[in-house]
Amino acid sequence: MSQLDTDTICAIATPPGRSGVGIVRISGPGALSIGVEILGFTPTPRHAHYSDFLDSNSEVIDQGIVLYFNQPHSFTGEDIIELQGHGGVYVQRALLNRALSLGARLANPGEFSERSFLNNKIDLLQAEAIADLIDASSQQAARSAIRTLQGEFSRKIHSLLEKLLTARVNVEAAIDFSDEDIDLLSDTRVKKSLQEILLSLEATLRQAQQGALLKEGINVVIAGKPNAGKSSLLNALSGLESAIVTDIPGTTRDLLSEEITIDGMPVHIVDTAGLRESDDVVEKEGVRRAQIAIEQADQILLIVDKSTAEEDVEKLLAPLGLLNNKSIHEFSNLQNTTIVFNKIDLVEGSRAEANKTCIGNIELTTISLSAKHLNGLDLLREHLKQLIGFNSAEEGAFVARERHLNALRNSQQLITSALDHLNDQSPLELIAEDLRFAMAELGAITGEFSSDDLLGEIFSNFCVGK
């Protein structure tokens, strides 16, 4: 998209409502002429001017700061005018309508960022990082988004692409000059190069997975029999009195959600109805909803009342299997289940601790704690961090989305396939195709090979003024 091919867009770049400052942003070939009409003079590029903002009758709409960024030295790569006035609803609307009347059109969601991408000011990773930085709910997530915005993720992808291109050129050369003395299959340099690329790709994938955790978090469902202390644990983890806690079994009838952070990592916690057979219509519906939540959970905390007579682990897990009319060994989320022995304060000699137990060939963690007295919660928090591979010392994490992870995994599989073909002395054309598709997967991450449909989906989730 070139400067001459675009029209001029405008939008309010600050949140709607009453505020101290409000910004109207205008971008495109007509931005400067529109700015001159509103200001009554031609602003100097990259200088702040204090000015009146005028309507069509030269009446003052507002007063504030104007900034002019001339193309290509701007966020979008086009001429940009920013009118920074007061944040009243009427004032902002009046300025916006003035720009529209002078030939601009209302920007689509994310269109400023989209133009920045199309004009090669940023790549697709950096464009997505802008939205992720705006949405960041923790310091760790914000830092991760900043690293991507500054190009750290992009540099790793470009480095991988350059190495893959070199390897692919060698393979293609061996195909094109097959009559020459080029024996690629016995040449260890290409094999070694692909192995090194694979190691770099695996490291990048780990960092991307860490960034995805910081952005998306995990879904943790608290399950168990009535009166085991599920709601008490929710309250203890969230630090809020979100759930009603009584000695009466079956108090919780519906799903209750809270969001917390553990070392900057977002965790979505869901409390569920007690798992038991019941003739009560409302309670049966609560158990049904609990079943759905359990099946969709990333991690399950099965709460067990430590003060009651202890049973063997399989019997403790039985309610989860019974929900699906399966044995516990068939329960699909068994490997994502942690047994939490609650109410250790009621058992003489019990203490907060973490242990391991086995069901078949699956190792489960058991944690003993007291939700009421907040004893042992640190053990549970640390366990959750370990389950999802969180590392607070990981400074190289960068924000990532599911499409990035999928592309990295697909590329990993394709390079592995190329190595297998090389080891099996398969036709070189198969190796070349694997490398070509691997490059396409990585190129889609930064937007070098992206469809219009993908771009539309990504930028439609942005703010209108961004």
Side-chain angles (χ1 to χ4, degrees):
M1 181 180 71
S2 69
Q3 174 78 15
L4 296 176
D5 292 334
T6 64
D7 47 11
T8 301
I9 58 174
C10 65
I12 299 173
T14 44
R18 187 169 175 267
S19 61
V21 177
I23 300 174
V24 172
R25 175 179 287 167
I26 309 167
S27 178
L32 180 58
S33 61
I34 291 174
V36 170
E37 288 291 327
I38 294 175
L39 302 171
F41 67 92
T42 301
T44 303
R46 308 179 75 82
H47 281 69
H49 301 271
Y50 181 73
S51 173
D52 293 337
F53 303 151
L54 308 174
D55 65 14
S56 58
N57 298 317
S58 296
E59 296 289 334
V60 176
I61 299 173
D62 193 11
Q63 293 179 320
I65 302 295
V66 61
L67 295 172
Y68 167 47
F69 301 93
N70 59 320
Q71 65 92 17
H73 309 294
S74 71
F75 172 67
T76 61
E78 306 171 328
D79 283 347
I80 285 184
I81 290 284
E82 285 194 356
L83 305 173
Q84 302 183 6
H86 296 92
V89 174
Y90 168 76
V91 170
Q92 291 295 290
R93 283 292 177 188
L95 283 176
L96 181 65
N97 288 333
R98 176 73 166 125
L100 292 171
S101 70
L102 291 169
R105 68 165 174 81
L106 192 63
N108 296 318
E111 191 167 1
F112 291 96
S113 296
E114 183 178 17
R115 290 189 176 198
S116 182
F117 165 70
L118 294 173
N119 286 328
N120 298 315
K121 302 297 290 185
I122 56 175
D123 63 26
L124 198 54
L125 274 175
Q126 292 170 302
E128 290 171 301
I130 294 169
D132 294 328
L133 182 59
I134 292 171
D135 293 336
S137 58
S138 69
Q139 184 182 41
Q140 292 270 13
R143 286 179 176 176
S144 177
I146 281 291
R147 278 192 284 271
T148 301
L149 184 56
Q150 292 176 330
E152 184 173 334
F153 196 0
S154 301
R155 284 189 290 273
K156 289 184 180 292
I157 297 300
H158 285 302
S159 176
L160 287 167
L161 281 169
E162 288 173 4
K163 293 174 182 176
L164 270 176
L165 180 60
T166 300
R168 184 180 165 193
V169 165
N170 288 329
V171 176
E172 297 281 1
I175 295 172
D176 293 339
F177 302 99
S178 57
D179 55 336
E180 301 290 334
D181 188 20
I182 301 177
D183 188 1
L184 185 72
L185 296 176
S186 62
D187 191 341
T188 59
R189 287 177 299 177
V190 173
K191 180 178 179 180
K192 184 179 179 181
S193 174
L194 291 180
Q195 289 171 335
E196 291 174 352
I197 292 170
L198 200 56
L199 288 174
S200 297
L201 183 57
E202 289 169 352
T204 302
L205 179 57
R206 285 195 300 271
Q207 289 176 300
Q209 287 170 327
Q210 182 64 67
L213 288 175
L214 291 171
K215 177 180 181 293
E216 303 293 344
I218 60 167
N219 294 314
V220 176
V221 169
I222 301 175
K225 294 181 179 180
N227 215 29
K230 299 184 299 299
S231 297
S232 295
L233 185 61
L234 173 68
N235 291 345
L237 287 171
S238 67
L240 302 170
E241 293 297 322
S242 302
I244 299 173
V245 177
T246 72
D247 294 330
I248 303 172
T251 304
T252 302
R253 298 294 188 94
D254 203 350
L255 304 181
L256 184 59
S257 302
E258 283 292 346
E259 302 223 2
I260 65 170
T261 59
I262 300 177
D263 283 359
M265 177 196 68
V267 179
H268 316 287
I269 304 179
V270 180
D271 184 20
T272 60
L275 304 178
R276 67 175 178 181
E277 298 292 337
S278 175
D279 294 327
D280 185 288
V281 175
V282 177
E283 188 171 4
K284 286 176 69 175
E285 175 62 19
V287 172
R288 188 191 69 82
R289 295 185 182 188
Q291 176 178 353
I292 295 173
I294 289 168
E295 290 290 348
Q296 296 175 345
D298 295 320
Q299 298 293 334
I300 300 166
L301 301 181
L302 180 63
I303 313 303
V304 178
D305 186 344
K306 180 82 170 180
S307 66
T308 61
E310 286 195 33
E311 304 173 73
D312 63 56
V313 174
E314 287 197 42
K315 288 184 178 179
L316 293 174
L317 289 164
L320 297 180
L322 290 173
L323 285 173
N324 307 290
N325 296 317
K326 299 176 181 178
S327 71
I328 189 59
H329 298 277
E330 298 175 291
F331 178 59
S332 59
N333 264 358
L334 178 59
Q335 68 274 16
N336 298 328
T337 300
T338 299
I339 301 174
V340 178
F341 290 108
N342 190 25
K343 304 185 183 182
I344 60 171
D345 51 298
L346 301 180
V347 181
E348 186 176 351
S350 290
R351 58 189 175 88
E353 60 183 352
N355 292 303
K356 299 289 185 180
T357 189
C358 285
I359 298 292
N361 60 352
I362 298 177
E363 186 178 69
L364 300 180
T365 297
T366 64
I367 296 177
S368 298
L369 54 75
S370 171
K372 181 178 180 180
H373 295 285
L374 309 182
N375 183 15
L377 284 182
D378 288 343
L379 291 173
L380 180 57
R381 291 191 182 98
E382 194 62 35
H383 173 63
L384 287 173
K385 287 161 55 178
Q386 292 174 359
L387 282 174
I388 59 177
F390 179 77
N391 181 4
S392 60
E394 178 62 78
E395 290 298 327
F398 31 73
V399 71
R401 300 185 175 200
E402 191 61 33
R403 77 171 192 90
H404 307 150
L405 299 180
N406 287 335
L408 289 170
R409 293 187 189 107
N410 291 341
S411 182
Q412 189 178 41
Q413 292 173 358
L414 288 162
I415 296 170
T416 300
S417 174
L419 275 169
D420 290 340
H421 287 314
L422 196 59
N423 291 330
D424 296 340
Q425 297 194 342
S426 301
L428 296 181
E429 287 80 3
L430 295 178
I431 300 172
E433 277 295 278
D434 282 338
L435 298 183
R436 182 173 72 85
F437 284 123
M439 289 185 67
E441 289 286 347
L442 293 178
I445 293 177
T446 56
E448 294 180 43
F449 312 106
S450 296
S451 68
D452 291 338
D453 289 341
L454 174 62
L455 297 182
E457 180 182 345
I458 288 172
F459 289 108
S460 66
N461 294 318
F462 278 53
C463 308
V464 171
K466 199 62 185 175

